[in-house]
Amino acid sequence: MTTHLRFSHTTRAHSFNTAAAQYAANRPSYPPVLFTTLEDLAARPLKGAQVIDVGAGTGIATTLLHARGADVIAVEPGEGMAAEFRRAHPDIPLVRGTGDALPLASASADFLTYAQSWHWTNPAHSLPEAFRVLRPGGALALWWNTSALDVPWIAAQAQRIDQYFEDAHPTEEGTATKTEVGTATKTEEGTATKTPKDTESRRRTAGFLTERAFKGAPEPPPHTHRVVRWSRQVPVDTHLANIGSHSAFLILGEEGTDAFLAEERTRLLETFPDGRVEEVYDVLVIVATRS
């Protein structure tokens, strides 16, 4: 069963502003092959391109785009996230705004990117806005790190997270609360599927999530997608801080989640006695090109 937190979409989106430094320090980055894949799907290079990175947050993706030679402008609605971005990346321009009403001129960008952020927009507004700002032939690129749920320990942890929210924090309707780090392969918007067991299942999951990305848009654009797998090794405490930086945990606060995370730490050390966790991700990247 998939449901949403009893807190509003806006409340969840703004929760990151109180934890911007935690987000920047602990969230996963993205592998170089992702940007090669993006260039392949868009049939154009990032080097020298005018890129608008929307929902830039603390700049995790923005800095990688900049390193590929793109001329990047960041767009970020949140005050706390924008402050952390400016502190860490003073040489990259940032403007405050949202994907639903971009503060940018028409036909001014070669790429419009949303790293882990498209789901906070309303595609009925954000898709027309994206195509307004893109130049002809420009590419709208969306991507998300999603947990690789065919890895046994990751699937088991995801199930514990879902069970925790279901048992301890039911919604007002009495149904279970799913988080963006739970058993479903999904983005924070709450799109879910069953745990993928093999490559073909993961391929079907990616196709389902791709179609969901444009739900509510006047007309879904022609688009393509790929899935890129990668991993990182981090200390147990970094992994737990990563989990704690997701909106469901941030809204509940330390008092509501400390006991769960402490128990999770014990479980993780049983699996990873050296104290280093290998997080495995499938990055779903979707590209739609303006005609």
Side-chain angles (χ1 to χ4, degrees), residues 8 27 33 59 115 118-119 126 146 164 189 285:
S8 72
R27 280 294 185 103
V33 68
W118 176 258
H119 53 274
S126 57
T146 65
Y164 171 72
E189 67 194 321
V285 56

Side-chain angles (χ1 to χ4, degrees), residues 37-49:
T37 300
L38 171 57
E39 292 175 321
D40 184 31
L41 294 177
R44 62 190 311 158
L46 285 164
K47 185 175 182 179

Side-chain angles (χ1 to χ4, degrees), residues 245-264:
S245 73
H246 289 81
S247 61
F249 284 86
L250 293 174
I251 289 172
L252 291 175
E254 293 181 358
E255 184 177 351
T257 59
D258 272 359
F260 173 83
L261 292 174
E263 182 177 345
E264 201 59 30

Side-chain angles (χ1 to χ4, degrees), residues 9-23:
H9 192 72
T10 300
T11 298
R12 293 176 63 200
H14 285 292
S15 68
F16 300 111
N17 290 307
T18 63
Q22 177 185 350
Y23 190 109

Side-chain angles (χ1 to χ4, degrees), residues 37-38 40-42 140-142 210-211 214 221-226 284-289:
T37 300
L38 171 57
D40 184 31
L41 294 177
L140 169 64
L142 326 172
T210 299
E211 294 306 316
F214 298 110
H223 56 274
T224 187
H225 72 271
R226 284 189 196 164
L284 170 64
V285 56
I286 305 168
V287 173
T289 303

Side-chain angles (χ1 to χ4, degrees), residues 6 25 46 52-53 55 71 100 154 169 200 244 263:
R6 59 184 176 273
L46 285 164
I52 310 299
D53 188 31
D71 183 7
D100 292 341
I154 294 176
H169 304 284
E200 181 58 31
E263 182 177 345

Side-chain angles (χ1 to χ4, degrees), residues 8-238:
S8 72
H9 192 72
T10 300
T11 298
R12 293 176 63 200
H14 285 292
S15 68
F16 300 111
N17 290 307
T18 63
Q22 177 185 350
Y23 190 109
N26 300 291
R27 280 294 185 103
S29 185
Y30 305 100
V33 68
L34 169 65
F35 299 97
T36 303
T37 300
L38 171 57
E39 292 175 321
D40 184 31
L41 294 177
R44 62 190 311 158
L46 285 164
K47 185 175 182 179
Q50 179 66 62
V51 177
I52 310 299
D53 188 31
V54 188
T58 60
I60 294 173
T62 318
T63 55
L64 297 174
L65 291 162
H66 179 74
R68 297 283 293 208
D71 183 7
V72 189
I73 296 174
V75 177
E76 170 54 40
E79 181 177 358
M81 298 290 264
E84 178 66 21
F85 183 105
R86 288 180 171 131
R87 183 198 66 77
H89 315 294
D91 297 332
I92 299 178
L94 179 144
V95 296
R96 297 287 300 281
T98 72
D100 292 341
L102 290 167
L104 301 163
S106 298
S108 60
D110 301 307
F111 286 89
L112 209 67
T113 60
Y114 282 83
Q116 218 81 17
S117 59
W118 176 258
H119 53 274
W120 296 117
T121 74
N122 179 353
H125 303 297
S126 57
L127 184 60
E129 272 292 272
F131 281 178
R132 177 186 67 80
V133 170
L134 284 170
R135 296 167 178 149
L140 169 64
L142 326 172
W143 65 86
W144 294 266
N145 273 318
T146 65
S147 296
L149 295 176
D150 58 323
V151 178
W153 80 264
I154 294 176
Q157 181 182 74
Q159 290 172 351
R160 291 193 297 271
I161 291 171
D162 281 349
Q163 191 64 54
Y164 171 72
F165 280 95
E166 183 173 348
D167 291 345
H169 304 284
T171 63
E172 292 174 352
E173 293 77 16
T175 52
T177 297
K178 294 281 190 182
T179 76
E180 67 270 32
V181 288
T183 56
T185 299
K186 58 184 176 179
T187 63
E188 292 190 53
E189 67 194 321
T191 304
T193 68
K194 294 182 179 179
T195 302
K197 299 296 185 182
D198 52 35
T199 301
E200 181 58 31
S201 295
R202 292 197 298 272
R203 188 177 297 114
R204 290 196 299 269
T205 293
F208 174 77
L209 294 177
T210 299
E211 294 306 316
R212 288 280 298 176
F214 298 110
K215 185 177 180 181
E219 183 177 348
H223 56 274
T224 187
H225 72 271
R226 284 189 196 164
V227 176
V228 175
R229 174 158 290 196
W230 73 290
S231 66
R232 67 170 188 167
Q233 289 193 351
V234 295
V236 166
D237 288 338
T238 297

